[in-house]
PDB file of all heavy atoms in Angstrom:
ATOM      1  N   GLY V  46     120.319  72.712  75.094  1.00 97.00           N
ATOM      2  CA  GLY V  46     120.283  72.534  73.655  1.00 97.00           C
ATOM      3  C   GLY V  46     119.036  71.834  73.180  1.00 97.00           C
ATOM      4  O   GLY V  46     118.050  71.673  73.909  1.00 97.00           O
ATOM      5  N   ALA V  47     119.092  71.404  71.933  1.00 97.00           N
ATOM      6  CA  ALA V  47     117.934  70.768  71.311  1.00 97.00           C
ATOM      7  C   ALA V  47     118.395  69.982  70.098  1.00 97.00           C
ATOM      8  O   ALA V  47     119.516  70.151  69.606  1.00 97.00           O
ATOM      9  CB  ALA V  47     116.893  71.813  70.902  1.00 97.00           C
ATOM     10  N   ASP V  48     117.513  69.103  69.629  1.00 98.00           N
ATOM     11  CA  ASP V  48     117.709  68.377  68.380  1.00 98.00           C
ATOM     12  C   ASP V  48     116.766  68.995  67.350  1.00 98.00           C
ATOM     13  O   ASP V  48     115.546  68.988  67.526  1.00 98.00           O
ATOM     14  CB  ASP V  48     117.394  66.892  68.558  1.00 98.00           C
ATOM     15  CG  ASP V  48     118.177  66.282  69.714  1.00 98.00           C
ATOM     16  OD1 ASP V  48     119.350  66.655  69.891  1.00 98.00           O
ATOM     17  OD2 ASP V  48     117.611  65.442  70.444  1.00 98.00           O
ATOM     18  N   LEU V  49     117.341  69.558  66.297  1.00 98.00           N
ATOM     19  CA  LEU V  49     116.573  70.232  65.248  1.00 98.00           C
ATOM     20  C   LEU V  49     116.406  69.277  64.074  1.00 98.00           C
ATOM     21  O   LEU V  49     117.387  68.901  63.429  1.00 98.00           O
ATOM     22  CB  LEU V  49     117.287  71.510  64.794  1.00 98.00           C
ATOM     23  CG  LEU V  49     117.718  72.477  65.905  1.00 98.00           C
ATOM     24  CD1 LEU V  49     118.446  73.672  65.309  1.00 98.00           C
ATOM     25  CD2 LEU V  49     116.532  72.927  66.727  1.00 98.00           C
ATOM     26  N   TRP V  50     115.182  68.866  63.823  1.00 98.00           N
ATOM     27  CA  TRP V  50     114.878  67.944  62.734  1.00 98.00           C
ATOM     28  C   TRP V  50     114.252  68.707  61.572  1.00 98.00           C
ATOM     29  O   TRP V  50     113.509  69.665  61.774  1.00 98.00           O
ATOM     30  CB  TRP V  50     113.873  66.895  63.172  1.00 98.00           C
ATOM     31  CG  TRP V  50     114.278  65.930  64.236  1.00 98.00           C
ATOM     32  CD1 TRP V  50     114.576  66.209  65.555  1.00 98.00           C
ATOM     33  CD2 TRP V  50     114.394  64.513  64.094  1.00 98.00           C
ATOM     34  NE1 TRP V  50     114.863  65.043  66.220  1.00 98.00           N
ATOM     35  CE2 TRP V  50     114.755  63.988  65.365  1.00 98.00           C
ATOM     36  CE3 TRP V  50     114.212  63.632  63.037  1.00 98.00           C
ATOM     37  CZ2 TRP V  50     114.952  62.628  65.585  1.00 98.00           C
ATOM     38  CZ3 TRP V  50     114.394  62.269  63.252  1.00 98.00           C
ATOM     39  CH2 TRP V  50     114.780  61.783  64.507  1.00 98.00           C
ATOM     40  N   THR V  51     114.526  68.233  60.360  1.00 98.00           N
ATOM     41  CA  THR V  51     113.799  68.696  59.183  1.00 98.00           C
ATOM     42  C   THR V  51     113.181  67.483  58.505  1.00 98.00           C
ATOM     43  O   THR V  51     113.884  66.508  58.214  1.00 98.00           O
ATOM     44  CB  THR V  51     114.710  69.416  58.178  1.00 98.00           C
ATOM     45  OG1 THR V  51     115.498  70.386  58.870  1.00 98.00           O
ATOM     46  CG2 THR V  51     113.882  70.090  57.092  1.00 98.00           C
ATOM     47  N   ALA V  52     111.875  67.542  58.279  1.00 98.00           N
ATOM     48  CA  ALA V  52     111.171  66.489  57.547  1.00 98.00           C
ATOM     49  C   ALA V  52     110.873  67.017  56.149  1.00 98.00           C
ATOM     50  O   ALA V  52     110.105  67.973  55.995  1.00 98.00           O
ATOM     51  CB  ALA V  52     109.883  66.107  58.272  1.00 98.00           C
ATOM     52  N   PHE V  53     111.488  66.410  55.143  1.00 98.00           N
ATOM     53  CA  PHE V  53     111.328  66.855  53.762  1.00 98.00           C
ATOM     54  C   PHE V  53     110.202  66.117  53.046  1.00 98.00           C
ATOM     55  O   PHE V  53     109.809  66.523  51.952  1.00 98.00           O
ATOM     56  CB  PHE V  53     112.639  66.660  52.987  1.00 98.00           C
ATOM     57  CG  PHE V  53     113.753  67.556  53.454  1.00 98.00           C
ATOM     58  CD1 PHE V  53     114.640  67.146  54.436  1.00 98.00           C
ATOM     59  CD2 PHE V  53     113.914  68.817  52.922  1.00 98.00           C
ATOM     60  CE1 PHE V  53     115.663  67.965  54.869  1.00 98.00           C
ATOM     61  CE2 PHE V  53     114.943  69.650  53.341  1.00 98.00           C
ATOM     62  CZ  PHE V  53     115.818  69.228  54.316  1.00 98.00           C
ATOM     63  N   GLU V  54     109.700  65.026  53.624  1.00 97.00           N
ATOM     64  CA  GLU V  54     108.686  64.208  52.965  1.00 97.00           C
ATOM     65  C   GLU V  54     107.446  64.133  53.851  1.00 97.00           C
ATOM     66  O   GLU V  54     107.223  63.155  54.563  1.00 97.00           O
ATOM     67  CB  GLU V  54     109.240  62.810  52.685  1.00 97.00           C
ATOM     68  CG  GLU V  54     110.459  62.830  51.766  1.00 97.00           C
ATOM     69  CD  GLU V  54     111.113  61.461  51.607  1.00 97.00           C
ATOM     70  OE1 GLU V  54     110.553  60.462  52.119  1.00 97.00           O
ATOM     71  OE2 GLU V  54     112.187  61.390  50.979  1.00 97.00           O
ATOM     72  N   LEU V  55     106.656  65.184  53.826  1.00 98.00           N
ATOM     73  CA  LEU V  55     105.420  65.249  54.599  1.00 98.00           C
ATOM     74  C   LEU V  55     104.277  65.548  53.642  1.00 98.00           C
ATOM     75  O   LEU V  55     104.302  66.556  52.923  1.00 98.00           O
ATOM     76  CB  LEU V  55     105.521  66.333  55.671  1.00 98.00           C
ATOM     77  CG  LEU V  55     104.245  66.609  56.478  1.00 98.00           C
ATOM     78  CD1 LEU V  55     103.778  65.360  57.226  1.00 98.00           C
ATOM     79  CD2 LEU V  55     104.464  67.766  57.453  1.00 98.00           C
ATOM     80  N   SER V  56     103.269  64.681  53.639  1.00 98.00           N
ATOM     81  CA  SER V  56     102.118  64.871  52.765  1.00 98.00           C
ATOM     82  C   SER V  56     100.884  64.289  53.432  1.00 98.00           C
ATOM     83  O   SER V  56     100.974  63.343  54.225  1.00 98.00           O
ATOM     84  CB  SER V  56     102.361  64.207  51.407  1.00 98.00           C
ATOM     85  OG  SER V  56     101.283  64.445  50.521  1.00 98.00           O
ATOM     86  N   TRP V  57      99.729  64.838  53.105  1.00 98.00           N
ATOM     87  CA  TRP V  57      98.447  64.346  53.607  1.00 98.00           C
ATOM     88  C   TRP V  57      97.383  64.708  52.576  1.00 98.00           C
ATOM     89  O   TRP V  57      97.667  65.333  51.545  1.00 98.00           O
ATOM     90  CB  TRP V  57      98.140  64.976  54.965  1.00 98.00           C
ATOM     91  CG  TRP V  57      97.917  66.455  54.940  1.00 98.00           C
ATOM     92  CD1 TRP V  57      96.727  67.131  54.817  1.00 98.00           C
ATOM     93  CD2 TRP V  57      98.933  67.475  54.992  1.00 98.00           C
ATOM     94  NE1 TRP V  57      96.924  68.488  54.810  1.00 98.00           N
ATOM     95  CE2 TRP V  57      98.268  68.731  54.921  1.00 98.00           C
ATOM     96  CE3 TRP V  57     100.325  67.454  55.113  1.00 98.00           C
ATOM     97  CZ2 TRP V  57      98.949  69.940  54.946  1.00 98.00           C
ATOM     98  CZ3 TRP V  57     101.011  68.653  55.133  1.00 98.00           C
ATOM     99  CH2 TRP V  57     100.338  69.879  55.063  1.00 98.00           C
ATOM    100  N   LEU V  58      96.146  64.326  52.822  1.00 98.00           N
ATOM    101  CA  LEU V  58      95.026  64.657  51.950  1.00 98.00           C
ATOM    102  C   LEU V  58      94.152  65.706  52.622  1.00 98.00           C
ATOM    103  O   LEU V  58      93.939  65.654  53.838  1.00 98.00           O
ATOM    104  CB  LEU V  58      94.180  63.417  51.648  1.00 98.00           C
ATOM    105  CG  LEU V  58      94.898  62.215  51.030  1.00 98.00           C
ATOM    106  CD1 LEU V  58      93.897  61.074  50.822  1.00 98.00           C
ATOM    107  CD2 LEU V  58      95.575  62.587  49.718  1.00 98.00           C
ATOM    108  N   ASN V  59      93.637  66.656  51.826  1.00 98.00           N
ATOM    109  CA  ASN V  59      92.639  67.551  52.395  1.00 98.00           C
ATOM    110  C   ASN V  59      91.283  66.840  52.412  1.00 98.00           C
ATOM    111  O   ASN V  59      91.181  65.666  52.020  1.00 98.00           O
ATOM    112  CB  ASN V  59      92.604  68.903  51.667  1.00 98.00           C
ATOM    113  CG  ASN V  59      92.076  68.801  50.238  1.00 98.00           C
ATOM    114  OD1 ASN V  59      91.485  67.795  49.833  1.00 98.00           O
ATOM    115  ND2 ASN V  59      92.269  69.868  49.464  1.00 98.00           N
ATOM    116  N   LEU V  60      90.258  67.511  52.855  1.00 98.00           N
ATOM    117  CA  LEU V  60      88.967  66.848  53.028  1.00 98.00           C
ATOM    118  C   LEU V  60      88.326  66.451  51.702  1.00 98.00           C
ATOM    119  O   LEU V  60      87.401  65.633  51.682  1.00 98.00           O
ATOM    120  CB  LEU V  60      88.028  67.747  53.829  1.00 98.00           C
ATOM    121  CG  LEU V  60      88.460  68.033  55.271  1.00 98.00           C
ATOM    122  CD1 LEU V  60      87.424  68.872  55.994  1.00 98.00           C
ATOM    123  CD2 LEU V  60      88.742  66.743  56.037  1.00 98.00           C
ATOM    124  N   ARG V  61      88.843  66.971  50.602  1.00 98.00           N
ATOM    125  CA  ARG V  61      88.349  66.586  49.276  1.00 98.00           C
ATOM    126  C   ARG V  61      89.248  65.532  48.631  1.00 98.00           C
ATOM    127  O   ARG V  61      89.074  65.193  47.466  1.00 98.00           O
ATOM    128  CB  ARG V  61      88.248  67.820  48.377  1.00 98.00           C
ATOM    129  CG  ARG V  61      87.300  68.892  48.928  1.00 98.00           C
ATOM    130  CD  ARG V  61      87.076  70.000  47.934  1.00 98.00           C
ATOM    131  NE  ARG V  61      86.357  69.520  46.748  1.00 98.00           N
ATOM    132  CZ  ARG V  61      86.176  70.250  45.648  1.00 98.00           C
ATOM    133  NH1 ARG V  61      86.688  71.483  45.575  1.00 98.00           N
ATOM    134  NH2 ARG V  61      85.522  69.752  44.609  1.00 98.00           N
ATOM    135  N   GLY V  62      90.231  65.041  49.387  1.00 98.00           N
ATOM    136  CA  GLY V  62      91.092  63.985  48.881  1.00 98.00           C
ATOM    137  C   GLY V  62      92.265  64.456  48.060  1.00 98.00           C
ATOM    138  O   GLY V  62      92.986  63.638  47.472  1.00 98.00           O
ATOM    139  N   LYS V  63      92.517  65.763  48.006  1.00 98.00           N
ATOM    140  CA  LYS V  63      93.634  66.292  47.224  1.00 98.00           C
ATOM    141  C   LYS V  63      94.893  66.286  48.066  1.00 98.00           C
ATOM    142  O   LYS V  63      94.899  66.781  49.195  1.00 98.00           O
ATOM    143  CB  LYS V  63      93.321  67.716  46.768  1.00 98.00           C
ATOM    144  CG  LYS V  63      94.442  68.343  45.933  1.00 98.00           C
ATOM    145  CD  LYS V  63      94.107  69.777  45.555  1.00 98.00           C
ATOM    146  CE  LYS V  63      95.261  70.437  44.808  1.00 98.00           C
ATOM    147  NZ  LYS V  63      94.969  71.855  44.488  1.00 98.00           N
ATOM    148  N   PRO V  64      96.010  65.748  47.535  1.00 98.00           N
ATOM    149  CA  PRO V  64      97.252  65.719  48.313  1.00 98.00           C
ATOM    150  C   PRO V  64      97.778  67.118  48.604  1.00 98.00           C
ATOM    151  O   PRO V  64      97.675  68.036  47.784  1.00 98.00           O
ATOM    152  CB  PRO V  64      98.223  64.953  47.406  1.00 98.00           C
ATOM    153  CG  PRO V  64      97.344  64.125  46.528  1.00 98.00           C
ATOM    154  CD  PRO V  64      96.124  64.972  46.283  1.00 98.00           C
ATOM    155  N   GLN V  65      98.342  67.259  49.804  1.00 98.00           N
ATOM    156  CA  GLN V  65      98.994  68.474  50.251  1.00 98.00           C
ATOM    157  C   GLN V  65     100.432  68.114  50.645  1.00 98.00           C
ATOM    158  O   GLN V  65     100.685  66.989  51.083  1.00 98.00           O
ATOM    159  CB  GLN V  65      98.282  69.070  51.466  1.00 98.00           C
ATOM    160  CG  GLN V  65      96.783  69.216  51.306  1.00 98.00           C
ATOM    161  CD  GLN V  65      96.407  70.265  50.285  1.00 98.00           C
ATOM    162  OE1 GLN V  65      96.728  71.440  50.448  1.00 98.00           O
ATOM    163  NE2 GLN V  65      95.730  69.850  49.211  1.00 98.00           N
ATOM    164  N   VAL V  66     101.359  69.060  50.501  1.00 98.00           N
ATOM    165  CA  VAL V  66     102.740  68.799  50.889  1.00 98.00           C
ATOM    166  C   VAL V  66     103.258  69.958  51.727  1.00 98.00           C
ATOM    167  O   VAL V  66     102.777  71.097  51.628  1.00 98.00           O
ATOM    168  CB  VAL V  66     103.667  68.586  49.672  1.00 98.00           C
ATOM    169  CG1 VAL V  66     103.264  67.340  48.891  1.00 98.00           C
ATOM    170  CG2 VAL V  66     103.668  69.814  48.770  1.00 98.00           C
ATOM    171  N   ALA V  67     104.254  69.662  52.543  1.00 98.00           N
ATOM    172  CA  ALA V  67     104.894  70.688  53.369  1.00 98.00           C
ATOM    173  C   ALA V  67     106.245  70.170  53.830  1.00 98.00           C
ATOM    174  O   ALA V  67     106.522  68.954  53.798  1.00 98.00           O
ATOM    175  CB  ALA V  67     104.026  71.045  54.577  1.00 98.00           C
ATOM    176  N   LEU V  68     107.097  71.082  54.256  1.00 98.00           N
ATOM    177  CA  LEU V  68     108.278  70.751  55.039  1.00 98.00           C
ATOM    178  C   LEU V  68     107.937  70.969  56.503  1.00 98.00           C
ATOM    179  O   LEU V  68     107.097  71.804  56.834  1.00 98.00           O
ATOM    180  CB  LEU V  68     109.460  71.639  54.667  1.00 98.00           C
ATOM    181  CG  LEU V  68     109.928  71.649  53.211  1.00 98.00           C
ATOM    182  CD1 LEU V  68     111.073  72.648  53.044  1.00 98.00           C
ATOM    183  CD2 LEU V  68     110.355  70.273  52.774  1.00 98.00           C
ATOM    184  N   ALA V  69     108.595  70.234  57.384  1.00 98.00           N
ATOM    185  CA  ALA V  69     108.376  70.426  58.820  1.00 98.00           C
ATOM    186  C   ALA V  69     109.715  70.617  59.514  1.00 98.00           C
ATOM    187  O   ALA V  69     110.660  69.852  59.286  1.00 98.00           O
ATOM    188  CB  ALA V  69     107.641  69.235  59.419  1.00 98.00           C
ATOM    189  N   HIS V  70     109.786  71.645  60.345  1.00 98.00           N
ATOM    190  CA  HIS V  70     110.915  71.839  61.252  1.00 98.00           C
ATOM    191  C   HIS V  70     110.444  71.448  62.648  1.00 98.00           C
ATOM    192  O   HIS V  70     109.444  71.976  63.143  1.00 98.00           O
ATOM    193  CB  HIS V  70     111.386  73.291  61.246  1.00 98.00           C
ATOM    194  CG  HIS V  70     112.141  73.677  60.017  1.00 98.00           C
ATOM    195  ND1 HIS V  70     112.480  74.986  59.727  1.00 98.00           N
ATOM    196  CD2 HIS V  70     112.645  72.935  59.006  1.00 98.00           C
ATOM    197  CE1 HIS V  70     113.157  75.024  58.588  1.00 98.00           C
ATOM    198  NE2 HIS V  70     113.259  73.791  58.130  1.00 98.00           N
ATOM    199  N   VAL V  71     111.169  70.534  63.265  1.00 98.00           N
ATOM    200  CA  VAL V  71     110.796  70.003  64.581  1.00 98.00           C
ATOM    201  C   VAL V  71     111.944  70.274  65.541  1.00 98.00           C
ATOM    202  O   VAL V  71     113.107  69.999  65.219  1.00 98.00           O
ATOM    203  CB  VAL V  71     110.500  68.493  64.506  1.00 98.00           C
ATOM    204  CG1 VAL V  71     110.195  67.934  65.884  1.00 98.00           C
ATOM    205  CG2 VAL V  71     109.337  68.221  63.548  1.00 98.00           C
TER     206      VAL V  71
END
Side-chain angles (χ1 to χ4, degrees):
D48 306 322
L49 309 178
W50 295 65
T51 311
F53 293 91
E54 299 174 6
L55 174 60
S56 183
W57 66 93
L58 304 179
N59 68 14
L60 296 183
R61 300 188 66 189
K63 180 182 176 183
Q65 310 292 298
V66 296
L68 302 177
H70 286 170
V71 177

